[in-house]
């Protein structure tokens, strides 16, 4: 069931897509940064709790 599709893209659309792609990359980067911070905080908290237990 193959279908042939023709897509017309204008220069405006390409620029807009590039812009959206960059924004998305920045957002993904921010998400990873936040996840790393949360992870570090959890590790720090566990360390603190372990030290208090001793």
């Amino acid at each position: 069931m193959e279908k042939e599709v023709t897509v017309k893209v204008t220069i405006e659309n390409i620029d807009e897509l590039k812009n959206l792609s960059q924004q998305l990359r920045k957002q993904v980067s921010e998400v990873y940064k936040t996840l790393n911070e949360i992870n570090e905080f959890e590790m720090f908290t566990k360390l603190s709790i372990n030290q208090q237990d001793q």
Side-chain angles (χ1 to χ4, degrees):
M1 229 181 93
E2 287 185 19
K3 287 187 178 180
E4 193 173 305
V5 180
T6 304
V7 180
K8 285 186 178 180
V9 182
T10 64
I11 299 297
E12 289 171 31
N13 286 349
I14 290 175
D15 286 344
E16 197 173 332
L17 278 174
K18 282 181 184 174
N19 191 14
L20 286 172
S21 172
Q22 284 178 338
Q23 287 177 18
L24 194 59
R25 269 194 217 112
K26 283 180 188 172
Q27 288 174 344
V28 168
S29 173
E30 286 297 310
V31 168
Y32 273 110
K33 212 158 105 181
T34 304
L35 283 174
N36 280 335
E37 288 170 3
I38 290 171
N39 208 4
E40 285 175 17
F41 180 74
E42 284 180 347
M43 301 264 289
F44 175 75
T45 307
K46 284 178 187 172
L47 273 176
S48 297
I49 292 172
N50 283 342
Q51 286 178 352
Q52 286 176 5
D53 285 348
Q54 292 177 358

